[in-house]
Amino acid sequence: MVILWFVKGALVVIMSYECSISCATYNSMGNKKKTGWRCENCREKRRPKEDDPPSIESLKNPSDTLKISSEISEIKSILVGLSEQMRGVVQSQQFLSVQYDDIKSSQDRIGSQLEQVEKRMGEITEREQVRDTEIEELSRRVALLEQGDNDRKLELHGVDEIPGMNIEEIIFEITSWKLN
């Protein structure tokens, strides 16, 4: 098991006690013994490296403390920058969400208007078909009436017109003679 200790927010101790003592024994030790305790196997395996977290002994050196403090400050400034970026991302997401909602409501409204237009267009088409039928019927009737008028017409060819002559009387005489 690995134990991590934090002092003022900084990681200071990493140790293992699995190899030689039980968890209960380790927990029964005082803080001073826990801080300084390392089994022989762990000491050999675990030589301090540059990337390793600092131990309690290294924190006693003021130059190391300043180095850690500056690293912590650097990390804090990075976190502040990330926090500001996250706020910007959240604001952008909220803005896009509002825009999406506006577009969606516009789309719904346009869809409703389209349905009304399609309904009105269907009504107009039905009326157009009725009117086309009425026009066809009226055209047929006009054709019949014109045909009937043509049946009653009489055309005279070759009759000379003399000034002062009453054409209607002559036509009346001819038609009455023809009908008898």
Side-chain angles (χ1 to χ4, degrees), residues 18-33:
E18 288 180 329
C19 54
S20 58
I21 62 172
S22 70
C23 185
T25 306
Y26 179 80
N27 287 335
S28 66
M29 292 180 179
N31 282 339
K32 278 189 172 186
K33 282 188 176 181

Side-chain angles (χ1 to χ4, degrees), residues 128-173:
E128 180 186 14
Q129 289 173 350
V130 168
R131 287 194 179 137
D132 285 347
T133 305
E134 289 173 353
I135 289 171
E136 286 175 14
E137 178 63 25
L138 290 173
S139 296
R140 189 184 61 78
R141 285 183 182 178
V142 166
L144 287 175
L145 288 173
E146 286 177 350
Q147 184 64 35
D149 281 348
N150 286 339
D151 288 345
R152 293 187 191 123
K153 287 184 182 176
L154 175 64
E155 288 185 29
L156 297 174
H157 296 280
V159 176
D160 294 331
E161 255 187 78
I162 301 172
M165 183 192 281
N166 189 351
I167 299 287
E168 288 180 17
E169 261 182 45
I170 295 174
I171 292 174
F172 183 70
E173 284 179 23

Side-chain angles (χ1 to χ4, degrees), residues 89-132:
V89 168
V90 168
Q91 288 174 347
S92 295
Q93 187 272 333
Q94 289 171 344
F95 173 76
L96 291 174
S97 178
V98 168
Q99 292 297 317
Y100 173 80
D101 292 342
D102 289 347
I103 290 170
K104 183 70 173 150
S105 65
S106 294
Q107 184 182 19
D108 292 343
R109 188 176 59 253
I110 290 170
S112 173
Q113 290 172 346
L114 181 62
E115 288 175 7
Q116 292 173 355
V117 167
E118 287 174 344
K119 180 181 176 185
R120 182 82 173 125
M121 191 69 170
E123 293 169 359
I124 291 171
T125 303
E126 287 176 16
R127 276 195 256 155
E128 180 186 14
Q129 289 173 350
V130 168
R131 287 194 179 137
D132 285 347

Side-chain angles (χ1 to χ4, degrees), residues 53-70:
S55 66
I56 293 287
E57 293 81 29
S58 69
L59 287 178
K60 292 178 183 174
N61 185 351
S63 65
D64 289 341
T65 305
L66 288 174
K67 180 180 175 186
I68 291 172
S69 177
S70 69

